Amino acid sequence: MTERESIQRALEHLRASDDTLKEVMSMIDKEQSVKSMKRAGRMTLRTALIAALIAVLGIITALAASEGGFLQVVRNNFNVRDRAPDAEIVQMQDVETGEIRYFANSEVLGIIVDDEDGNATSYIIAFTAGEHAPKELRDWKLGKLPEGFEQTEASRDDRRGAVEYKAHPEGIRVELIDFSYELPGSGITFYQPFTLENVTVNGDDGVLIKSPIFTEEWQGQRYGLQQLHLFWFSSDAGVGFTLYYYGIPGIDLIELAESVEPV
Amino acid sequence: MDVMGVRSFSQGETKMFTREQFTLVAEQHMDMIFRIAFSYLRSREDADDVTQNVLLALYRTDKAFRDGDHLKAWLIRVTINACRKILRSPWRRRNAPLEEYAGAMPFQEARDSDLFLAIMALDVKYRSVIVLYYYEGYDIAEIGNLLGIPVGTVGTRLARARNMLKSTLAEASI
């Protein structure tokens, strides 16, 4: 008996439980049932889960989305509706702290991050290879920023390079962590459900990371954003698919991409 | 290059599979998913959870697969990522004793059981390579791609795993 045959015999009894498929089909049925309810105008399962979580944490008020120019640009430029007709952005306010948090009820929009003042400052969106979203982002970024957001001082070429930056496939591997990342000393927390693994699980081929819109170096230092970008940069090599970045505050994006060693 | 068909639902959703197609694909691949998950997690419960979650992800995805190999590679990659996530989780379930689980498996010969336990006693980085190489039939380059590690690293792990297995089994037979 060959080595391969021996090992195959040793492992051949590893089989999924008999009820695995039955359980999966049951979950699918439940999921579709919830989707039907949502179409009828009821709260989505995802929103309900988020709301329940928030309630448990003592966060009570869930307000309807109030989309500013930024989020509108996201919608308009990223073809979100084509991929997820029911995509919504839900704004929730912590009644104790007044903090406003944004969640996406669709896996297409992965995360909206707030800063200390409760402003939406960043988002991450997964896309499928060949989709036009990255190009549209680039075109949008090279054009006029939405109302209420400052124009960065990066040059046109810098921005283009930042958006088009791709990770080196031979980069150093790092362990990825769940994407609930608190920036040191800033009080800014990035919330679940987004993880880089999620993107793979969802079948997407890449991730676009939009950095917080800060323009001064001190802002980046204050909020620990350079550390965050190092984290993303190192994660890039770990996941093995393309991450697009843009908007790193106070430093040249291309320089960061090419010269900073992954942590 | 054939692309597996896409079915559009009336509400605008796009799914890769009909329910019947999904059932067939799931039945075809769920043991492989479980086997890889078990090789990472050494826990029947965790491996079952991963299997279910990966199949759900398959049902939900709108990714177009070029062919069966592309689909299989996607499933393996998703499985590996799910396992890595669990391995990092502080909430991971406690494992039942491996010997107890192995004792319930219908091995034909004692050496099959010994080899199973020897494989599972290896570090996860060796177990995963062993399963992908010997059971799933991937070559070293393909494993490197699936795991996101250099080909040379795969080869080294495979060689070390072989040596450790031989050493363990030799000691057991003394």
Side-chain angles (χ1 to χ4, degrees):
Chain A
M1 187 181 296
T2 65
E3 197 171 59
R4 182 180 298 275
E5 288 168 344
S6 297
I7 290 177
Q8 288 182 347
R9 275 178 58 132
L11 298 175
E12 69 183 358
H13 300 299
L14 282 176
R15 289 177 187 158
S17 298
D18 293 339
D19 59 354
T20 295
L21 193 51
K22 186 180 169 187
E23 290 283 334
V24 171
M25 298 313 294
S26 172
M27 284 188 270
I28 289 171
D29 289 340
K30 284 180 186 173
E31 195 174 82
Q32 290 183 336
S33 172
V34 171
K35 282 184 178 176
S36 298
M37 290 167 64
K38 183 172 68 175
R39 287 186 206 106
R42 300 184 187 183
M43 180 179 282
T44 65
L45 173 62
R46 191 178 186 84
T47 306
L49 289 172
I50 292 172
L53 176 63
I54 298 298
V56 168
L57 295 173
I59 301 171
I60 299 169
T61 306
L63 305 174
S66 173
E67 292 182 20
F70 179 75
L71 299 183
Q72 195 62 51
V73 170
V74 173
R75 283 175 174 275
N76 291 344
N77 286 278
F78 280 88
N79 203 22
V80 170
R81 294 180 192 283
D82 284 357
R83 293 192 58 197
D86 299 323
E88 294 172 6
I89 295 169
V90 179
Q91 182 189 56
M92 295 185 176
Q93 185 173 31
D94 184 332
V95 292
E96 291 182 359
T97 66
E99 185 180 13
I100 297 198
R101 301 172 185 183
Y102 293 88
F103 295 90
N105 76 340
S106 159
E107 290 179 350
V108 173
L109 281 174
I111 191 170
I112 303 292
V113 184
D114 59 295
D115 66 8
E116 285 183 327
D117 298 321
N119 298 314
T121 57
S122 181
Y123 66 88
I124 297 171
I125 186 167
F127 60 88
T128 302
E131 196 171 353
H132 58 279
K135 179 181 181 303
E136 295 209 359
L137 172 82
R138 184 188 65 197
D139 293 344
W140 164 66
K141 178 58 182 169
L142 294 173
K144 184 182 176 183
L145 283 168
E147 186 178 350
F149 292 90
E150 299 172 77
Q151 182 76 36
T152 70
E153 295 177 357
S155 72
R156 184 183 179 88
D157 287 342
D158 286 346
R159 294 180 203 158
R160 183 186 298 277
V163 172
E164 292 180 341
Y165 163 66
K166 294 182 180 179
H168 298 290
E170 300 300 325
I172 298 171
R173 282 189 59 76
V174 296
E175 288 295 322
L176 301 179
I177 61 171
D178 286 355
F179 208 78
S180 50
Y181 180 81
E182 182 170 352
L183 299 177
S186 71
I188 302 174
T189 303
F190 291 77
Y191 297 100
Q192 289 281 23
F194 179 85
T195 68
L196 292 173
E197 289 96 331
N198 287 153
V199 178
T200 304
V201 168
N202 294 338
D204 294 300
D205 295 317
V207 177
L208 171 70
I209 296 178
K210 164 68 185 68
S211 300
I213 300 178
F214 295 125
T215 57
E216 302 296 333
E217 188 168 357
W218 68 266
Q219 291 174 310
Q221 291 170 348
R222 175 182 171 187
Y223 294 113
L225 295 173
Q226 291 181 14
Q227 187 174 344
L228 173 67
H229 287 293
L230 285 175
F231 166 74
W232 275 336
F233 183 72
S234 57
S235 299
D236 198 300
V239 294
F241 53 64
T242 304
L243 301 184
Y244 289 85
Y245 303 82
Y246 101 97
I248 298 177
I251 45 179
D252 185 302
L253 307 188
I254 298 174
E255 182 182 323
L256 176 76
E258 292 178 347
S259 65
V260 176
E261 290 296 321
V263 291
Chain B
M1 188 181 300
D2 63 320
V3 176
M4 297 172 75
V6 175
R7 181 168 77 101
S8 294
F9 288 80
S10 56
Q11 292 81 11
E13 281 184 273
T14 303
K15 288 288 177 195
M16 274 306 301
F17 304 106
T18 65
R19 194 179 178 90
E20 292 72 25
Q21 288 170 333
F22 171 76
T23 302
L24 284 174
V25 172
E27 284 175 342
Q28 186 180 354
H29 293 290
M30 67 183 187
D31 285 342
M32 176 200 72
I33 297 168
F34 177 85
R35 198 159 39 242
I36 292 170
F38 191 93
S39 75
Y40 268 83
L41 304 170
R42 294 192 298 196
S43 159
R44 163 137 223 135
E45 291 78 13
D46 285 339
D48 272 333
D49 284 350
V50 167
T51 305
Q52 291 179 8
N53 289 335
V54 171
L55 291 177
L56 273 176
L58 174 66
Y59 187 81
R60 289 170 180 156
T61 187
D62 58 359
K63 189 175 185 70
F65 298 103
R66 290 189 300 276
D67 49 36
D69 289 341
H70 185 206
L71 169 65
K72 185 179 174 185
W74 184 88
L75 286 169
I76 291 174
R77 192 175 176 88
V78 171
T79 302
I80 291 168
N81 284 331
C83 292
R84 285 174 176 167
K85 188 176 179 182
I86 288 177
L87 286 174
R88 285 191 297 273
S89 169
W91 303 107
R92 194 181 165 206
R93 294 186 191 189
R94 290 178 182 277
N95 290 342
L98 198 58
E99 291 76 8
E100 191 178 303
Y101 178 57
M105 297 169 81
F107 291 112
Q108 291 179 358
E109 298 179 24
R111 67 178 181 180
D112 295 336
S113 173
D114 291 343
L115 183 52
F116 171 79
L117 290 171
I119 292 170
M120 292 304 151
L122 296 173
D123 187 88
V124 64
K125 64 185 177 186
Y126 300 120
R127 297 198 301 267
S128 54
V129 171
I130 285 283
V131 170
L132 291 173
Y133 183 82
Y134 284 108
Y135 205 100
E136 304 307 333
Y138 285 102
D139 64 28
I140 290 177
E142 290 169 330
I143 294 172
N145 190 38
L146 285 168
L147 298 178
I149 57 178
V151 172
T153 304
V154 177
T156 302
R157 289 183 184 179
L158 197 55
R160 285 181 182 166
R162 276 197 201 109
N163 289 337
M164 283 188 277
L165 285 176
K166 283 175 185 170
S167 172
T168 302
L169 294 174
E171 287 174 14
S173 64
I174 292 171

